[in-house]
Amino acid sequence: MAKSIEEHAEAIEAAIWAARADGFEMTDDDGEIIWRAELWEIRDGVITDDFRNLHMPTISLERF
């Protein structure tokens, strides 16, 4: 059975936080730290109204 959006959001958050703990940060194409992200459900090729905010790590000041 497919996982729920909550289960996927938790797994993505866990991976992001684990990478952060190992000294990695997610950035966009301009090198800016990604501080906010959303996970949207797509059903039959259409984005639904169901989404979850992902809890991202705090911005690292060591970079600056």
Side-chain angles (χ1 to χ4, degrees):
M1 179 148 99
K3 293 182 178 182
S4 69
I5 193 169
E6 289 86 6
E7 291 171 310
H8 282 290
E10 289 174 6
I12 293 167
E13 288 173 353
I16 292 168
W17 281 88
R20 174 64 180 99
D22 288 339
F24 297 94
E25 291 177 315
M26 293 178 56
T27 60
D28 62 17
D29 290 341
D30 295 324
E32 298 293 323
I33 295 172
I34 298 172
W35 58 272
R36 182 177 180 278
E38 297 170 341
L39 177 65
W40 288 82
E41 181 180 5
I42 299 174
R43 190 177 309 132
D44 298 323
V46 177
I47 297 174
T48 70
D49 291 334
D50 195 12
F51 74 96
R52 296 297 177 270
N53 286 312
L54 299 176
H55 298 95
M56 307 293 281
T58 309
I59 293 173
S60 170
L61 297 178
E62 295 105 37
R63 283 189 68 193
F64 302 101

